Amino acid sequence: MIPDGWRKSTLRVESEQLQTGPFGSQLKAEEYLPRGEVAVVMPKEIVDGKVVYKNSAHISNVTASKLRKHRLQLGDVVFSRRGDVARTAVIQDASVVAICGTGCLKATLKQPNCMEFYSHYLQSPDIGEWLTQNAVGQTLLNLNTTIIGNLPLTLPPLPEQQKIAEILSTWDRAIAVQEKLVANARAQKEALMQKLLTAKKRLPGFEGKWTRLTFDSVFRIANEKGNQVQTSKYQTSGRTPIVDQSQQFIAGYTDSLNIYQHVPVIVFGDHTRALKWIDFMFCPGADGTQLLKAAEEIDLRFGYFLLEHAEIPSLGYSRHMKQLKELVFLVPSQLREQEEIAYVLSNCESEIERQEKLTVNMRQEKSALMQQLLTGKRRVKLDTVP
């Protein structure tokens, strides 16, 4: 069903030109520069519907002059040509001079069209799914101009495009403000950790020297082999969550009755350096999942923040426990001071979690509204001129 007043079309019909980025014979590797006059947009620059130029390669104006047909203009749509082919973005910043890179394709839209509307429209799950399903290739998905030209579009009239874009852009601005609040909360916690965990700032009522202690004086390894679950036995659901060394907080589930019950406990990823505070019963993953408890006269929560603040250089996927055991920690002699520091930092962490939940909720609400507006299930009220 097409909403009243909307029309079916394709990207080819709505575009003046569909263009593949320059191939290797046109733009050689040695012509790329770490910085220069003209940015090159590759798939990695397409992030969440936007082009992020921060780490992009560049070429000189001389090289760019040979590739004029690949120059990106305001309102052009850029597609990732290979790999994650669901990546799309609309060029909305005319201040950056850029070309469509080797791994991308571009569509120059006909006028009139609302580029802000297309920016939201092309981020819908239906578009990403269509691009993925229609890409060619077995091991690495690929798009070409024929495929993206056939991309089906269901479009409202221009005034409705503009109104939908206005509503969704308002949501984007609100989410951006919320993300800044999250970033600020994280920065405040980092600054406070730097002061409180180095004794540069003391909490009121506490005096006395701090002591430098080795890893073995602060922590003890508390692994229990019988509780560990092999990766091959992870389930998508079950009675007990599995916590391992991955970046995911919960890696899977199990119905095993051998549950780790000595919580709270600190989980440290031997390979990944991931750090987790676990205060519920769980089953640990097998490979690289190290469980840590505190030694006597050490508050475990304080120990968690010591580890979070510690600098452990990355060795790739090698093990990091040897490095961890070589660290020296500055610790207040009074247990009460440790507990108070941990309390203050835990409150900071709770505020970050609260702000992050608000961000997730806002994204979910925007996504639900986006699905309704971009399919015409919910129609916008257009401004009328008396």
Side-chain angles (χ1 to χ4, degrees):
M1 295 291 293
I2 303 175
D4 185 35
W6 290 36
R7 60 187 176 84
K8 281 189 171 295
S9 186
T10 64
L11 187 65
R12 181 179 292 104
V13 172
E14 300 303 315
S15 300
E16 291 180 355
Q17 183 188 46
L18 301 174
Q19 179 73 50
T20 303
F23 293 101
S25 58
Q26 299 171 291
L27 181 57
K28 296 180 175 58
E30 57 267 25
E31 294 180 283
Y32 288 111
L33 307 170
R35 56 184 60 87
E37 295 93 352
V38 181
V40 180
V41 176
M42 303 292 277
K44 67 181 178 64
E45 272 73 58
I46 304 174
V47 182
D48 295 332
K50 298 180 178 62
V51 175
V52 180
Y53 296 99
K54 183 178 179 181
N55 297 313
S56 61
H58 290 75
I59 55 176
S60 67
N61 280 324
V62 174
T63 301
S65 66
K66 305 173 188 175
L67 304 167
R68 284 188 295 272
K69 67 178 181 179
H70 301 289
R71 182 70 62 91
L72 291 169
Q73 306 293 336
L74 191 67
D76 281 355
V77 183
V78 186
F79 294 82
S80 170
R81 186 169 65 86
R82 56 196 179 204
D84 185 3
V85 294
R87 292 190 185 194
T88 65
V90 176
I91 302 299
Q92 299 187 57
D93 185 358
S95 66
V96 180
V97 181
I99 68 162
C100 178
T102 301
C104 293
L105 307 103
K106 72 173 178 126
T108 301
L109 298 176
K110 293 178 180 177
Q111 299 299 325
N113 266 302
C114 178
M115 66 179 181
E116 291 86 0
F117 171 81
Y118 272 85
S119 180
H120 294 290
Y121 186 86
L122 294 173
Q123 296 308 304
S124 69
D126 290 345
I127 296 294
E129 184 178 345
W130 189 94
L131 290 169
T132 301
Q133 290 181 347
N134 286 272
V136 295
Q138 296 294 325
T139 57
L140 185 67
L141 295 180
N142 280 271
L143 293 175
N144 54 46
T145 53
T146 300
I147 295 172
I148 65 168
N150 292 331
L151 179 66
L153 308 172
T154 305
L155 302 172
L158 183 60
E160 197 165 351
Q161 289 184 28
Q162 294 168 332
K163 189 66 176 181
I164 290 172
E166 179 185 332
I167 293 170
L168 294 178
S169 295
T170 300
W171 272 90
D172 281 343
R173 288 191 292 271
I175 291 171
V177 170
Q178 182 58 37
E179 288 174 338
K180 285 184 179 179
L181 292 176
V182 173
N184 288 340
R186 287 175 178 163
Q188 289 172 4
K189 178 193 169 190
E190 288 295 325
L192 202 53
M193 287 175 68
Q194 178 61 28
K195 292 178 181 179
L196 292 179
L197 296 177
T198 59
K200 292 178 181 177
K201 178 177 181 178
R202 302 292 292 274
L203 295 177
F206 293 104
E207 297 178 349
K209 294 182 178 180
W210 287 36
T211 307
R212 292 188 178 277
L213 298 176
T214 63
F215 174 88
D216 290 334
S217 299
V218 180
F219 300 100
R220 62 181 178 84
I221 297 174
N223 297 334
E224 292 182 359
K225 294 290 185 181
N227 307 124
Q228 296 178 341
V229 180
Q230 297 293 332
T231 306
S232 59
K233 295 184 178 180
Y234 286 14
Q235 301 172 184
T236 56
S237 62
R239 67 170 68 189
T240 306
I242 299 171
V243 178
D244 64 10
Q245 66 166 343
S246 67
Q247 298 300 329
Q248 291 178 295
F249 190 66
I250 303 296
Y253 294 87
T254 180
D255 291 317
S256 172
L257 298 177
N258 295 321
I259 300 172
Y260 190 89
Q261 302 184 45
H262 309 301
V263 294
V265 69
I266 299 169
V267 172
F268 175 74
D270 200 350
H271 295 290
T272 63
R273 297 177 298 159
L275 190 69
K276 302 172 186 177
W277 173 260
I278 307 299
D279 56 5
F280 52 85
M281 289 186 289
F282 70 104
C283 285
D287 183 48
T289 305
Q290 300 286 346
L291 308 185
L292 305 177
K293 300 289 281 187
E296 289 186 23
E297 300 304 316
I298 301 294
D299 179 72
L300 181 61
R301 186 66 168 159
F302 176 80
Y304 169 81
F305 289 116
L306 283 179
L307 291 174
E308 186 177 8
H309 185 62
E311 294 184 4
I312 307 172
S314 174
L315 300 176
Y317 202 68
S318 298
R319 294 186 178 273
H320 294 81
M321 276 303 293
K322 182 177 183 295
Q323 288 179 295
L324 187 60
K325 290 180 178 180
E326 291 173 352
L327 294 178
V328 176
F329 302 94
L330 192 60
V331 179
S333 56
Q334 295 184 55
L335 181 61
R336 182 62 181 161
E337 186 172 5
Q338 297 175 28
E339 293 170 344
E340 286 297 316
I341 292 173
Y343 176 77
V344 171
L345 295 177
S346 293
N347 284 340
C348 291
E349 206 159 69
S350 296
E351 176 61 17
I352 293 172
E353 290 174 359
R354 187 182 73 84
Q355 296 289 359
E356 287 176 336
K357 285 180 181 178
L358 286 174
T359 306
V360 170
N361 290 341
M362 290 179 70
R363 286 185 176 278
Q364 289 174 341
E365 289 181 38
K366 184 223 169 181
S367 180
L369 178 62
M370 186 173 167
Q371 178 64 18
Q372 291 181 318
L373 292 178
L374 297 180
T375 57
K377 293 178 181 177
R378 180 172 177 177
R379 303 296 293 270
V380 297
K381 185 176 180 180
L382 300 177
D383 299 327
T384 55
V385 179

